[in-house]
Amino acid sequence: MAAACADVRATHHLLRDERDGRLGVARDGEWVDRPGADTWPVLASLPPLYPEWLGDRSFAEVHGLRFPYVAGAMANGIATVALVSELARHGFLGFFGAAGLSPGRVEKAIDQLQGDLGTASCWGSNLIHSPAEPALEDAIADLYLRRGVRCVEASAYMSLTPAVVRYAAIGLSRDASGRIQRRNRLFAKISREEVARRFLEPPPAELLVALRERGQLSAVEAELAAQLPLAEDVTVEADSGGHTDNRPLTALLPTIASLRDQMAAARGYARPIRIGAAGGLGTPTAIAAAFALGAAYVQTGSINQACVESGLGERGRAMLAQAEMADVIMAPAADMFEMGVDVQVLRRGSLFAVRARKLYELYRAWSSLEAIPASEREKVERDILHSSFEQAWESTRAFWMGRDPAQVERAERDAKHRMALVFRSYLGLSSRWAIDGVDERAADFQIWCGPAMGAFNTWTRGSFLEAAANRSVVQVARNLMEGAAVITRAQQMRSFGLAIPASGFDFRPRLLA
């Protein structure tokens, strides 16, 4: 029976022996009618089950994919051009990690992706909510529109901004039959009902009016946008690496799916809104469970950061390959430091989380760098910044003069903001040190990581995927999807009463063509 579970591409007939009531399974074969012969009543026939058929078939059709599988954007270019291109060539969807990069760096990546893949919808890039830098968010959205990037993942949004609404609404039109057609496809990554609601509704009227008055939307685009949800692909993010609310998928996904159904019925939407699952997906069992919950597609993150195509340095990837499920911790986020927002990071082998938390406590307690007591200042300068406050501010000032001089002007008027920028510089550099593999700052590596990483390491132990050097993003994706199909088949058989052994649910990683 375990072998039958693994043979997902065959038809399976579930049989009962009428003499003793035992259940069994026959693979393939033909129906034969032989009067008077011993009979084997057929309880059910299970057609072939391909990994491609898991989830909502419309997802792959709309986005030009083979598999209902997405690799989410990992900031600072950790989700590299190579990673996205490799996935796209094998029928998966990947998002380039644009968050934290300058528009020039992002445009260079677009040049490479469009050179490799064209403007098809089988790849995308990230648009992150940037409350501290709204001009940067606008510039990235402008870049995507100007360069014809047709698929974007919107992440970390707590409220809607003109940038994300404009991206989704530009290019809306009606075809010859009167149906509204989208030019751009927006994936909304959410973890809260109130945020999901904003993406499941049409954009606020006041935002559409403002965009139209500024000449950033046409009258037709604004009118059509008011009739559609902002996003038709909503990724429900449970306990994950990076920005996360640490919520369990089994509670979060059904809640958002129910909200989707209520809102679609109330507003009379004609097209389906697909709900995807993310967070904690590091094993075939987790992937199968997400599809069983009703996910239209699955999205992985932390496990891709450990792959060879990732932009993370070799030392950081090796650290991830050793992580266990509990080796994660929450730490202050660089992009939303002043707001007290946290991200989930790797704890094993790094002191980043402890040191970042110390900086945030000092920021909350004191009005300026100068107000921090000398004993605390000495520890921060020696152990965390590796420079004096004055030197740290000079390098921070130089960075912001090149990126956004308005931040420097504000800091020179507001000592509290100057302190925030200096402390944020450590948080930002800690990610860069991990990407660049700066060995002397290994104890400060900031590596975004969720519990899926530890689960993946446990699953791959003893297989070819245990070694970090063998972890290619496509082999990881193929094994997860193949394993999810095997486990789904095993569960189908068990639901008919067959006594499936534990080995039927134990798909082991293997090299897949």
Side-chain angles (χ1 to χ4, degrees), residues 102-138:
S102 68
R105 287 277 308 278
V106 178
E107 185 159 24
K108 183 177 179 180
I110 293 172
D111 287 339
Q112 294 173 292
L113 286 164
Q114 289 184 339
D116 289 345
L117 306 170
T119 58
S121 59
C122 61
W123 65 273
S125 192
N126 179 231
L127 180 66
I128 193 167
H129 186 207
S130 303
E133 297 180 84
L136 177 62
E137 184 182 332
D138 286 336

Side-chain angles (χ1 to χ4, degrees), residues 2-259:
C5 293
D7 191 10
V8 295
R9 291 166 179 80
T11 298
H12 294 82
H13 306 291
L14 309 187
L15 313 175
R16 183 178 65 247
D17 187 336
E18 290 198 320
R19 295 167 298 186
D20 55 20
R22 289 185 302 165
L23 302 180
V25 78
R27 278 188 272 176
D28 294 321
E30 298 177 1
W31 289 90
V32 177
D33 185 10
R34 292 181 179 172
D38 289 340
T39 59
W40 297 82
V42 177
L43 302 179
S45 290
L46 302 178
L49 175 62
Y50 290 84
E52 292 90 333
W53 294 354
L54 299 172
D56 187 333
R57 301 283 185 92
S58 73
F59 178 79
E61 293 170 3
V62 166
H63 297 290
L65 307 173
R66 178 179 172 188
F67 297 95
Y69 182 103
V70 177
M74 295 177 287
N76 291 333
I78 292 175
T80 61
V81 168
L83 185 149
V84 174
S85 294
E86 189 69 6
L87 286 165
R89 281 192 287 267
H90 290 84
F92 304 94
L93 175 62
F95 286 102
F96 175 72
L101 301 181
S102 68
R105 287 277 308 278
V106 178
E107 185 159 24
K108 183 177 179 180
I110 293 172
D111 287 339
Q112 294 173 292
L113 286 164
Q114 289 184 339
D116 289 345
L117 306 170
T119 58
S121 59
C122 61
W123 65 273
S125 192
N126 179 231
L127 180 66
I128 193 167
H129 186 207
S130 303
E133 297 180 84
L136 177 62
E137 184 182 332
D138 286 336
I140 297 297
D142 286 340
L143 174 62
Y144 292 156
L145 292 169
R146 177 167 54 84
R147 294 300 306 272
V149 176
R150 297 294 178 231
C151 195
V152 158
E153 180 186 66
S155 59
Y157 278 84
M158 294 174 288
S159 59
L160 298 183
T161 65
V164 72
V165 171
R166 185 159 55 96
Y167 176 82
I170 278 185
L172 289 173
S173 63
R174 290 191 185 273
D175 62 17
S177 65
R179 294 183 59 189
I180 301 176
Q181 299 296 323
R182 292 185 184 271
R183 178 189 299 169
N184 301 326
R185 304 192 183 279
L186 185 74
F187 280 66
K189 190 162 67 174
I190 61 91
S191 57
R192 300 183 182 186
E193 289 178 76
E194 64 271 20
V195 178
R197 185 178 293 275
R198 294 185 182 108
F199 283 99
L200 292 169
E201 291 177 336
E206 60 270 20
L207 261 179
L208 293 174
V209 169
L211 288 168
R212 184 181 171 189
E213 289 177 348
R214 292 202 294 263
Q216 294 180 311
L217 283 183
S218 70
V220 171
E221 290 166 339
E223 176 196 352
L224 296 180
Q227 303 175 45
L228 297 174
L230 185 61
E232 290 180 353
D233 294 285
V234 177
T235 305
V236 174
E237 185 179 31
D239 195 0
S240 65
H243 288 286
T244 180
D245 283 322
N246 307 108
R247 297 185 179 181
L249 187 65
T250 51
L252 186 59
L253 193 145
T255 300
I256 301 301
S258 177
L259 176 65

Side-chain angles (χ1 to χ4, degrees), residues 311-315 429-439 445:
L312 190 66
E314 184 178 356
R315 183 164 182 166
L429 286 169
S430 62
S431 173
R432 177 53 55 189
W433 294 326
I435 291 169
D436 294 341
V438 180
D439 287 340
F445 281 4

